[in-house]
Amino acid sequence: MLNTPAQCRRFGAALALACGLGASGIVHAIEYRSVSAPAILYDSPSEKGKRLFIVATGTPVEVIVSLDKWIKVREPAGSINWIERSALSTKRTVQVSATRAVIRKQPTESSAAVFEAAKDVLLELADAPADGWAKVRHADGASGYIRVNEVWGL
């Protein structure tokens, strides 16, 4: 509890310092990549590590740590593992996390539906997200906008 003016000043200074650190670049954006071909996830950054499972082509992964040949990633189910850098693509995908997502013609709730996608469907990210929407493209070529809170990989 802040009872004296001096305590309030110290708290204000600490708060200003914390805000300043955030603005100075210490806070980093989350980076996502997509798997370019079926790839093995390992428990350590080595081919001698334990092979855990295979992740499918197009699966988006969150980059946690990047070493020379290896990248530590979080996959959509939440496990954290290692993957070879060469297994990742610059092409971006997202995975539907909602039970059912409506992809719309324009980035508004009132816009007409283009198609629906079920949970775990992979969609190519066609444009950077803006105002809570992301432009996506289905493998069959249909494209539209999906709410960013209905996908994993952004």
Side-chain angles (χ1 to χ4, degrees):
M1 182 173 229
L2 305 174
N3 295 321
T4 68
Q7 288 174 324
C8 289
R9 282 192 299 277
R10 282 194 296 274
F11 178 78
L15 182 59
L17 176 62
C19 290
L21 289 175
S24 69
I26 290 179
V27 176
H28 298 283
I30 297 173
E31 177 187 358
Y32 288 91
R33 302 275 302 275
S34 298
V35 178
S36 59
I40 299 169
L41 291 179
Y42 293 84
D43 70 343
S44 62
S46 168
E47 290 174 353
K48 294 179 183 177
K50 182 178 178 185
R51 295 172 182 212
L52 301 172
F53 58 94
I54 296 175
V55 64
T57 302
T59 302
V61 293
E62 176 187 351
V63 173
I64 296 174
V65 174
S66 187
L67 300 177
D68 291 336
K69 185 180 171 188
W70 295 89
I71 297 181
K72 190 175 200 175
V73 297
R74 179 185 332 268
E75 50 86 35
S79 69
I80 297 174
N81 309 292
W82 291 90
I83 190 169
E84 290 186 78
R85 179 182 300 278
S86 62
L88 298 179
S89 170
T90 55
K91 180 179 173 181
R92 290 286 311 280
T93 59
V94 292
Q95 184 172 338
V96 176
S97 58
T99 303
R100 197 141 200 79
V102 177
I103 292 66
R104 301 191 178 277
K105 190 171 192 156
Q106 296 297 321
T108 64
E109 288 293 336
S110 60
S111 181
V114 177
F115 66 95
E116 289 187 15
K119 184 174 176 62
D120 297 332
V121 167
L122 294 174
L123 302 167
E124 181 182 347
L125 186 62
D127 206 354
D131 300 323
W133 294 87
K135 187 169 185 181
V136 294
R137 186 176 305 105
H138 189 273
D140 69 4
S143 65
Y145 294 85
I146 190 169
R147 298 288 287 159
V148 296
N149 62 353
E150 295 181 320
V151 296
W152 192 87
L154 292 175

